[in-house]
Amino acid sequence: MKNNLVLIGFMGTGKTSLGKLLAEKLGRGFVDIDQKIEQDAGITIPQIFEMYGEKYFRELEKKAVKEITQRRGLVIATGGGTVKDEENLRLLKDSGVIVCLTTEPEEIFRRTERRGERPVLDSDEDRLATIKKLLSERQKFYSQADYTIDTTDWSPLQIMGDICKHFRL
Ligand code: S3P
């Protein structure tokens, strides 16, 4: 398959780990948008947020999406907020098929509990409430995927098998 396989979904749904597994199994290149942003900037995402703010991070994210979507045959893991930009979503859709990973807010809470890694969740507000609010705001973007999988009770290998079966990969 020449098209990209793009993983979208909220923080903590396992996009990066699954993306690596899928790329290995399918013999494709793997690109993680967050990792690319960090490599290009030479600092971590929490540092980008702290030093320059979210708006600047979103600009870097847009630039990374533009570059990566020129390429084909990749597995791409996006950041949880990448697709809330309509142009990012369109470019990703035009470049391949979109798979959305989901899980329960409580599970996301457990998986993203450590502070200092996900700046959008590190406010002083109730963390679970923030997760639920962002999930509902972003639902309209996540729901545009070609295929959605609830990962709550599944291992990465099972999820990978399901995706490969669905798209006949
Ligand atoms: C973000 C998700 C993060 C990262 C940044 C912002 C978001 O990616 O891009 O911290 O707005 O949901 P992960 O989904 O890989 O954690």
Side-chain angles (χ1 to χ4, degrees):
M1 189 161 91
K2 266 166 60 199
N3 284 348
N4 295 325
L5 180 58
V6 183
L7 301 176
I8 69 169
F10 204 75
M11 290 165 269
T13 50
K15 301 177 295 286
T16 301
S17 333
L18 182 70
K20 280 185 194 152
L21 265 182
L22 270 167
E24 203 170 307
K25 175 170 160 73
L26 300 172
R28 291 174 172 224
F30 172 65
V31 180
D32 181 277
I33 292 184
D34 287 336
Q35 280 170 9
K36 176 171 169 47
I37 293 169
E38 292 188 329
Q39 273 162 13
D40 292 352
I43 50 176
T44 66
I45 288 174
Q47 285 170 332
I48 297 171
F49 269 74
E50 202 190 313
M51 294 163 69
Y52 306 108
E54 177 167 356
K55 192 163 168 277
Y56 183 65
F57 169 75
R58 297 298 172 196
E59 284 169 22
L60 297 182
E61 191 175 44
K62 268 178 97 71
K63 189 166 163 276
V65 170
K66 282 201 179 108
E67 280 179 36
I68 292 165
T69 52
Q70 309 275 323
R71 299 169 58 191
R72 291 292 179 272
L74 297 174
V75 175
I76 300 173
T78 59
T82 308
V83 296
K84 70 190 177 89
D85 178 283
E86 299 276 3
E87 189 191 22
N88 286 348
L89 183 54
R90 185 180 50 77
L91 287 171
L92 289 163
K93 276 181 163 200
D94 289 349
S95 89
V97 293
I98 311 274
V99 176
C100 182
L101 306 182
T102 68
T103 189
E104 299 301 318
E106 289 74 14
E107 180 62 24
I108 291 172
F109 177 75
R110 276 190 290 277
R111 294 184 193 172
T112 60
E113 217 167 2
R114 212 157 17 151
R115 292 183 75 86
E117 290 179 358
R118 263 103 172 182
V120 287
L121 298 180
D122 277 351
S123 70
D124 290 334
E125 286 163 39
D126 178 329
R127 203 175 177 86
L128 183 58
T130 306
I131 289 170
K132 287 182 179 167
K133 181 172 142 264
L134 287 175
L135 270 173
S136 83
E137 282 171 13
R138 294 177 177 183
Q139 188 45 39
K140 60 176 181 290
F141 305 110
Y142 295 146
S143 66
Q144 293 184 48
D146 299 297
Y147 189 55
T148 297
I149 308 176
D150 183 344
T151 65
T152 312
D153 299 320
W154 282 17
S155 72
L157 278 178
Q158 284 174 312
I159 301 163
M160 181 167 79
D162 186 65
I163 292 174
C164 290
K165 195 167 144 214
H166 181 83
F167 290 105
R168 297 172 201 226
L169 297 172

